[in-house]
Amino acid sequence: MSGKGKTIKVDYLARVEGEGALFIRYDDDQVHDVQLKIFEPPRFFEAFLRGRDYTEAPDITARICGICPVAYQMSALHAMEDALDLVPTPELRTLRRLLYCGEWIESHMLHVSMLHAPDFLGYPSAVAMAKGHPEIVRQALEIKKAGNALLRLLGGREVHPINVRVGGFYRTPIPEQFESLREQLLAARDLAEQMCRWSARLPFPENNQEFEFVSLVNPDEYPMNEGRIQSSRGLDISAGDYEQYFREEQVPHSTALHSILIERGAYLVGPMARFNLNYSRLSSRVKQVAEELDFRPPCTNPFKSIVVRCLEVLYAFDEALRIIENYQPPAHPYLTVKPRKASGCAATEAPRGLLYHRYGINAQGKITHAKIVAPTSQNQKTIEQDLRLMLPKFMHLPEDQLQGLCERAIRNYDPCISCSTHFLQLHLQHDQPGSL
């Protein structure tokens, strides 16, 4: 076997959102090539945003993903409001945070229970897992249902919400609408705590890595909508400086761009980055559970990201209940503003990590350019690097087990491939009116 070249080739990755493949070439001595091959067709969102009204950006970008549409809406809203010097009232800001709580709950729990947990329990799918662990699946669905209820109330519907707009919401809830929801959230929060304790007992392969963690950091709260972009190695910038420090690169094997930190390379965004950089800002209940589980930062094993996601779900319930208990309806559901020629940018924390948007608009309020950098494109190079460093530790495994471990390693990052495939630049040239 010594010196014999081998390959791991997975034509279609299972239990990830979107279409991707994996190719690894290695021998007994080293790993020669690792490619996370994203082949889903690019959807050119930046290109067809051009020429649309600035008010349409939140609804159009929400269609990038059916699992984390709120993240795209919030980033678009903040970027447009940055361009227009529009500052939402504290009440509107708080409602947006509540909406984001709903998305963190439903997105994280979908990944934990349907996509990730089967890896640890030896099942090929969540359907198969449900036969052996029906209570875990039932609890996960109840938790996710509570997140969906928040999205439905604040967003108008659970998928691709329609109630948010630049300046606020089309309509805001009255306190009475939270009464029945509060009981559902309380019950689901207890289930979420149980899920934290269950996930911490799963068998984790040893795979601690050295990452540069990158996330928003807000001195007053665990970050969702706002904060400065910081890293575990000293980066500390505003969203306005993002493109001075981060660069996207095209690689032959991917229809999505790879994002790097200039002169530093790969970095990690997502729950582990938030947890490691913002642990002190979690709720007291979440920190108590984490300490009882002996699960404190730094967390550097991507396989343990399932525990971090469960802790963030528990935090999202704590935060949602805090907001509801102190809710004061806004005097007006939205602020109005006149368009002007301007540009603006923003970064928020999608469930999968940092999400960056930048837009330019003209005096009539039409979008002149758009740039969107999704979490998955930022993690692609890190995923490949993780596989390259992990494989030598497990070369002794039979090839089928080694392939399975590599697929599991990719799912640790909860990649949303569909989100990532809209970065290719599309240049339109009009030779004459009405033609391309």
Side-chain angles (χ1 to χ4, degrees):
M1 182 175 178
S2 178
K4 182 181 178 182
K6 295 178 177 291
T7 61
I8 292 174
K9 188 169 181 273
V10 181
D11 292 327
Y12 296 94
L13 292 167
R15 283 184 275 126
V16 297
E17 297 94 340
E19 298 174 344
L22 175 65
F23 175 82
I24 299 175
R25 183 168 58 85
Y26 69 101
D27 57 32
D28 292 348
D29 299 318
Q30 62 181 309
V31 179
H32 296 283
D33 193 17
V34 177
Q35 296 180 7
L36 175 57
K37 305 176 75 170
I38 291 178
F39 54 83
E40 185 160 322
R43 295 182 290 160
F44 305 116
F45 269 88
E46 288 98 337
F48 65 70
L49 277 162
R50 295 203 297 262
R52 305 303 291 259
D53 195 86
Y54 78 99
T55 61
E56 297 181 87
D59 290 324
I60 291 175
T61 57
R63 267 64 181 180
I64 291 173
C65 185
I67 298 171
C68 52
V70 170
Y72 287 93
Q73 289 187 322
M74 291 296 106
S75 298
L77 290 172
H78 284 288
M80 288 300 180
E81 290 166 359
D82 177 58
L84 299 169
D85 284 336
L86 189 64
V87 180
T89 65
E91 293 81 9
L92 291 171
R93 179 188 181 277
T94 298
L95 279 178
R96 288 180 175 177
R97 189 169 174 83
L98 182 59
L99 181 61
Y100 229 146
C101 286
E103 177 158 284
W104 275 27
I105 292 166
E106 62 85 14
S107 177
H108 275 344
M109 200 44 53
L110 171 68
H111 174 74
V112 166
S113 60
M114 302 297 163
L115 306 181
H116 209 184
D119 282 337
F120 296 96
L121 299 175
Y123 293 97
S125 68
V127 174
M129 188 182 79
K131 297 178 181 179
H133 299 269
E135 190 62 19
I136 291 298
V137 175
R138 185 196 68 78
Q139 289 181 359
L141 291 175
E142 286 298 316
I143 294 168
K144 187 178 186 303
K145 188 185 298 183
N148 285 344
L150 274 172
L151 294 180
R152 188 167 57 250
L153 175 59
L154 292 170
R157 61 188 186 191
E158 296 156 359
V159 179
H160 302 149
I162 54 175
N163 189 38
V164 300
R165 56 171 291 170
V166 176
F169 293 81
Y170 287 101
R171 65 179 182 182
T172 53
I174 59 174
E176 289 74 18
Q177 289 178 283
F178 287 123
E179 290 179 2
S180 60
L181 181 60
R182 183 177 180 277
E183 295 305 314
Q184 183 180 6
L185 294 177
L186 284 169
R189 182 176 65 174
D190 290 340
L191 297 177
E193 182 173 329
Q194 294 178 36
M195 195 68 69
C196 292
R197 300 181 187 282
W198 167 81
S199 66
R201 295 194 299 269
L202 293 170
F204 301 109
E206 285 296 327
N207 185 37
N208 290 299
Q209 302 279 7
E210 291 186 10
F211 299 103
E212 180 163 10
F213 298 107
V214 175
S215 82
L216 293 183
V217 172
N218 189 317
D220 301 319
E221 60 194 14
Y222 200 75
M224 288 184 178
N225 288 61
E226 300 166 3
R228 290 182 62 81
I229 300 171
Q230 296 186 11
S231 86
S232 55
R233 297 179 187 171
L235 183 72
D236 185 1
I237 62 172
S238 67
D241 294 326
Y242 179 89
E243 292 176 60
Q244 297 179 38
Y245 291 84
F246 296 85
R247 182 176 70 237
E248 293 178 298
E249 300 176 337
Q250 185 70 60
V251 295
H253 58 270
S254 177
T255 55
L257 301 180
H258 280 199
S259 184
I260 62 167
L261 260 168
I262 296 172
E263 298 182 354
R264 285 150 77 163
Y267 60 98
L268 176 67
V269 301
M272 279 176 52
R274 287 191 295 261
F275 180 80
N276 287 323
L277 295 176
N278 294 278
Y279 179 79
S280 64
R281 299 170 186 89
L282 288 166
S283 66
S284 58
R285 179 172 183 161
V286 174
K287 286 188 286 188
Q288 179 181 342
V289 171
E291 289 167 11
E292 288 174 5
L293 298 174
D294 196 23
F295 195 87
R296 303 175 184 86
C299 173
T300 58
N301 183 347
F303 287 98
K304 294 184 178 182
S305 63
I306 189 171
V307 184
V308 180
R309 285 185 174 87
C310 289
L311 289 169
E312 285 198 335
V313 168
L314 181 58
Y315 172 78
F317 277 116
D318 279 350
E319 184 69 350
L321 287 162
R322 181 192 68 80
I323 291 171
I324 287 172
E325 288 166 3
N326 296 282
Y327 177 60
Q328 295 293 327
H332 301 285
Y334 59 87
L335 307 176
T336 58
V337 64
K338 291 183 178 180
R340 64 179 187 184
K341 184 178 180 179
S343 62
C345 59
T348 73
E349 284 289 341
R352 288 157 191 81
L354 191 73
L355 173 59
Y356 172 78
H357 284 222
R358 172 172 57 80
Y359 299 97
I361 57 176
N362 62 22
Q364 291 72 46
K366 302 301 181 183
I367 297 172
T368 57
H369 66 262
K371 182 181 179 69
I372 301 171
V373 186
T376 294
S377 78
Q378 298 182 76
N379 278 342
Q380 279 184 90
K381 190 172 287 294
T382 295
I383 294 172
E384 291 181 347
Q385 180 174 284
D386 182 7
L387 290 167
R388 189 182 298 274
L389 295 173
M390 181 190 78
L391 254 65
K393 306 173 188 176
F394 298 96
M395 290 291 197
H396 62 281
L397 294 176
E399 288 185 38
D400 59 337
Q401 293 184 30
L402 189 59
Q403 175 177 317
L405 187 65
C406 290
E407 293 184 63
R408 291 179 60 186
I410 293 173
R411 283 191 286 269
N412 288 335
Y413 296 85
D414 189 17
C416 189
I417 292 170
S418 298
C419 287
S420 69
T421 53
H422 57 91
F423 300 113
L424 301 183
Q425 292 184 0
L426 178 63
H427 297 286
L428 300 179
Q429 180 176 349
H430 294 267
D431 295 326
Q432 58 185 4
S435 68
L436 291 179

